[in-house]
Amino acid sequence: MKAIINASSDGRQLRPLTCTSSLSMIKIAGKPILGYMLELLDDSGFDEIAVICDFNSDIIEAYIENSAGIKAKVYCVEKGYSSLYGIVRPIAEKWNESFVAAECNFICDVNIGKAMLYHNTVGADVTVICTSVEESER
């Protein structure tokens, strides 16, 4: 199974926390959000993960290179396009199979591998994983 993680956000909405780091590299309980996402996908059985980088890509690349314990092939793809779709499309066409596209701005514990199995079993074009919350404030 394959996945694309969008880790290209500069995290303007969380400044000053993101003045020197991208949103995906903000640490929660000592680990960057990207670390949680990589572990989630790896534990769910994904074997290839493309991480879309833009803001502070050198920091993200260094983190990926030093991510011990991740069995999946993980690599950075420089955004360099005017839109996110511009980078996702060539990756998806190369893979020629169903894949997960995830934003790197949340932490969850869903089994994405099971969601992919469901997606493939029902022959869906798109499957969205979401949850309800009691209260949301901006």
Side-chain angles (χ1 to χ4, degrees):
M1 292 186 294
K2 308 207 181 326
I4 298 172
I5 299 174
N6 180 19
S8 64
S9 173
D10 65 3
R12 280 182 221 153
Q13 66 274 30
L14 289 179
R15 286 200 175 133
L17 293 174
T18 55
C19 285
T20 59
S21 176
S22 66
L23 179 62
S24 63
M25 295 306 292
I26 289 179
K27 290 185 179 180
I28 298 177
K31 184 186 311 180
I33 295 171
L34 178 60
Y36 288 102
M37 182 61 69
L38 290 174
E39 287 177 1
L40 174 70
L41 292 167
D42 195 54
D43 291 346
S44 294
F46 286 78
D47 57 4
E48 187 171 343
I49 304 168
V51 179
I52 300 170
C53 304
D54 194 10
F55 183 73
N56 284 338
S57 61
D58 54 333
I59 296 169
I60 294 171
E61 288 175 0
Y63 180 78
I64 288 171
E65 288 176 14
N66 295 311
S67 291
I70 302 293
K71 299 175 287 301
K73 174 185 174 186
V74 182
Y75 54 92
C76 276
V77 178
E78 294 286 335
K79 189 173 175 188
Y81 288 84
S82 60
S83 71
L84 186 58
Y85 176 73
I87 188 62
V88 170
R89 183 176 180 194
I91 295 169
E93 288 174 346
K94 181 183 85 170
W95 286 342
N96 197 29
E97 65 182 77
S98 294
F99 63 92
V100 165
E103 290 290 328
C104 196
N105 57 3
F106 64 91
I107 296 174
C108 69
D109 63 353
V110 89
N111 186 322
I112 298 178
K114 284 184 180 178
M116 283 295 290
L117 178 62
Y118 170 81
H119 171 85
N120 291 327
T121 300
V122 301
D125 291 327
V126 175
T127 300
V128 178
I129 301 170
C130 56
T131 188
S132 61
V133 293
E134 289 182 29
E135 186 176 324
S136 177
E137 293 182 18
R138 275 207 108 155

